[in-house]
């Protein structure tokens, strides 16, 4: 044992040499630097928000979803006095495009040199190429006529060697067969008659209901199609994507349609069969939508949905 007052070296108190205290300004600078080094960065927004829709478009979409049109217990959708504009899709709503296209493409293709596919296989190939190249058109990669030429070149045996004139000739041949097979749906004639009566009734009451066609297509061909199926009303504007410079679901074509009608987005309703182009497009532009879902297997959307135009009532 060590005598009292003595300690082992490890037990001796350590006397640290005091460093000179920095000036107050330097101390603050160091403290600020330290805080900056330890600062936890604020988390960024998720990628889906940063790369998705613009906030203003999100607000319009949410507002449109909140204003979903009610559906009666019998499945009817009523367009009340607050609806002053109505936009109608053409293919799948007024014209039975799919039936006409399936019949026309085999009638045309069976006469092509080297064609060997059966009717169902022919229709399936044509529809697949239609979706492929029309989507490229919707994304701005091709013009409207350019997607037709691309479809023909992929479809016709030896079509890759066709120049523009040759591909256009093939497209014209197909459309001759297509126009001869255009038919309306059974509910179209009654719907157009009721809609014209509603427009006149509103006018007599000093109110307004304006109607326009909005379609992804060429104006002349779509006007011919409407005439063929008995759904053309001369004083209803036709807004076609080929002439408008924008295609559904681009909100610009819906804004242009509302401008032509002189109505606001919140008082205009879109009636269409395509959940993406018609329903999502209109909803994203701030319009309310009616989804005409003719097939129970078709994708749905959380909007007013009907299976036939007979269920759409204009008050």
């Amino acid at each position: 044992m060590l005598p009292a007052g003595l300690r082992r070296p490890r037990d001796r108190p350590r006397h640290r040499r005091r460093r000179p205290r920095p000036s107050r300004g330097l101390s603050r600078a160091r403290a600020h630097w330290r805080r900056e080094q330890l600062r936890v960065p604020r988390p960024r927004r998720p990628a889906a928000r940063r790369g998705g829709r613009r906030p203003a478009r999100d607000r319009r979409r949410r507002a449109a979803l909140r204003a979903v049109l009610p559906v009666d217990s019998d499945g009817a959708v009523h367009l009340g006095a607050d609806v002053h504009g109505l936009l109608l899709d053409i293919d799948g709503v007024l014209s039975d495009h799919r039936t006409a296209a399936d019949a026309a493409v085999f009638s045309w293709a069976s006469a092509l040199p080297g064609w060997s596919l059966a009717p169902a296989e022919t229709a399936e190939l044509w529809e697949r190429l239609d979706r492929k190249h029309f989507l490229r058109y919707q994304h701005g990669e091709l013009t409207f006529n350019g997607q037709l030429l691309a479809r023909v070149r992929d479809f016709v045996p030896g079509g890759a060697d066709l120049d523009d004139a040759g591909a256009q000739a093939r497209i014209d041949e197909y459309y001759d067969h297509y126009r001869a097979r255009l038919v309306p749906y059974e509910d179209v004639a009654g719907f157009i008659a009721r809609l014209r009566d509603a427009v006149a009734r509103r006018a007599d009451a000093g109110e307004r209901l304006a109607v326009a066609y909005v379609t992804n297509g060429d104006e002349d061909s779509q006007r011919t199609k409407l005439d063929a199926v008995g759904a053309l009303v001369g004083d209803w504007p036709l807004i076609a994507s080929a002439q408008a410079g924008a295609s559904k679901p681009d909100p610009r074509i819906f804004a242009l349609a509302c401008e032509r009608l002189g109505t606001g987005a919140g008082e205009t309703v879109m009636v269409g069969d395509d959940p993406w182009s018609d329903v999502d497009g209109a909803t994203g532009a701030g319009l309310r939508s009616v989804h005409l879902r003719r097939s129970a297997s078709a994708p749905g959307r959380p909007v007013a949905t009907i299976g036939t135009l007979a269920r759409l009532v204009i008050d």
Side-chain angles (χ1 to χ4, degrees):
M1 177 178 294
L2 294 175
L6 296 179
R7 298 180 182 177
R8 292 185 179 91
R10 66 174 179 269
D11 296 330
R12 292 174 183 172
R14 296 179 180 179
H15 299 284
R16 296 181 180 178
R17 185 178 180 180
R18 298 187 63 177
R19 297 178 181 176
R21 185 173 184 178
S23 65
R24 181 171 296 181
L26 182 59
S27 177
R28 288 178 177 175
R30 285 178 175 173
H32 175 74
W33 177 86
R34 183 64 175 167
R35 285 196 302 270
E36 289 298 318
Q37 295 299 311
L38 298 177
R39 185 185 297 276
V40 178
R42 295 180 63 183
R44 294 183 177 181
R45 291 181 177 181
R49 286 293 302 276
R50 290 188 290 115
R53 296 182 181 87
R54 296 179 179 178
R57 188 176 177 185
D58 278 342
R59 290 194 295 271
R60 290 195 300 267
R61 182 179 177 83
R62 288 194 295 269
L65 287 174
R66 286 195 299 269
V68 171
L69 294 163
V71 181
D72 289 351
S73 58
D74 61 352
V77 174
H78 289 260
L79 303 185
D82 61 327
V83 176
H84 298 137
L86 186 63
L87 307 181
L88 303 176
D89 182 31
I90 297 176
D91 294 325
V93 174
L94 304 175
S95 171
D96 190 352
H97 165 73
R98 189 76 272 142
T99 300
D102 289 352
V105 70
F106 183 74
S107 174
W108 163 62
S110 59
L112 295 174
W115 194 261
S116 59
L117 295 181
E121 295 170 327
T122 301
E124 181 181 355
L125 175 60
W126 184 251
E127 183 180 2
R128 185 167 68 250
L129 294 175
D130 183 1
R131 290 196 302 267
K132 172 185 174 181
H133 293 296
F134 201 84
L135 188 62
R136 295 177 64 196
Y137 160 64
Q138 288 178 300
H139 288 166
E141 298 177 22
L142 297 170
T143 64
F144 178 77
N145 201 60
Q147 59 89 20
L148 294 176
L149 301 182
R151 192 196 320 176
V152 164
R153 288 189 174 105
D154 282 355
F155 182 83
V156 173
D161 298 328
L162 290 173
D163 58 11
D164 286 355
Q168 186 63 54
R170 292 301 191 189
I171 279 290
D172 293 341
E173 292 171 3
Y174 163 74
Y175 272 112
D176 288 340
H177 289 262
Y178 175 74
R179 283 189 288 267
R181 289 163 176 78
L182 282 171
V183 292
Y185 292 99
E186 294 181 355
D187 54 8
V188 169
F191 171 71
I192 294 296
R194 293 196 311 275
L195 186 52
R196 297 183 71 170
D197 288 344
V199 171
R201 187 173 65 250
R202 290 273 190 98
D204 292 341
E207 301 174 353
R208 187 166 180 265
L209 177 63
V211 183
Y213 309 98
V214 181
T215 179
N216 281 347
D218 175 74
E219 182 174 351
D220 290 340
S221 63
Q222 293 297 79
R223 193 175 295 277
T224 300
K225 183 184 298 183
L226 286 170
D227 191 30
V229 300
L232 180 64
V233 179
D235 56 349
W236 292 355
L238 195 160
I239 293 89
S241 62
Q243 284 71 38
S247 62
K248 299 178 292 184
D250 192 318
R252 291 177 297 171
I253 194 169
F254 297 100
L256 177 60
C258 291
E259 182 181 347
R260 291 281 298 275
L261 294 183
T263 59
E267 58 184 356
T268 306
V269 172
M270 175 71 198
V271 180
D273 70 306
D274 190 293
W276 179 55
S277 296
D278 298 324
V279 179
D280 292 350
T283 303
L287 285 70
R288 287 175 289 178
S289 302
V290 175
H291 186 194
L292 178 58
R293 193 164 170 250
R294 293 191 180 276
S295 172
S297 62
R301 289 293 188 271
V303 300
T305 303
I306 55 178
T308 171
L309 290 173
R311 296 296 186 187
L312 188 60
V313 180
I314 299 94
D315 296 331

